[in-house]
Amino acid sequence: MYTVDIEKRCGCFKKDTIELPKTFKAKKEAEFEALKLANYMNANYCKKHRFFVNEEGNNFTICVELSCPKIS
C-alpha cells in the first residue's frame, strides 16, 4: 500500500475539504494524486507557502515550504 499525506496542515488546508491521508494500491496512482494535490494547493491557496511532493519508501508526503518575503 502507498500513502499520500501532508507534513503540515496550514490554515488554507484546514479550510479545504481535502481529506488526508489517502491510501492506494498502486504506486503510480499515489504519486499522481500527490502531485495533483500539490499543484492544486500551489494554484489555489494563499501563496504564503509552496507545496512539493517528497517520496520516501511507500509514502508520498506533500511538504510545505514557507515563502520568504522580499526585503526592499
Side-chain angles (χ1 to χ4, degrees):
M1 297 296 279
Y2 297 89
T3 303
V4 174
D5 204 355
I6 190 164
E7 102 182 313
K8 191 178 206 181
R9 286 162 164 71
C10 67
C12 292
F13 178 83
K14 290 177 185 177
K15 292 175 192 173
D16 208 327
T17 59
I18 298 170
E19 292 186 26
L20 291 177
K22 293 183 180 184
T23 56
F24 300 87
K25 290 182 182 180
K27 179 180 180 177
K28 290 286 184 190
E29 192 178 7
E31 182 178 25
F32 178 77
E33 181 68 13
L35 292 170
K36 181 177 81 171
L37 286 172
N39 286 333
Y40 168 82
M41 292 172 187
N42 283 323
N44 294 292
Y45 286 4
C46 68
K47 310 293 189 252
K48 291 181 183 175
H49 308 94
R50 187 176 72 87
F51 300 90
F52 60 96
V53 176
N54 183 37
E55 178 184 356
E56 197 170 298
N58 290 351
N59 299 312
F60 291 90
T61 304
I62 300 170
C63 299
V64 182
E65 178 179 271
L66 294 174
S67 298
C68 297
K70 289 184 179 180
I71 299 174
S72 303

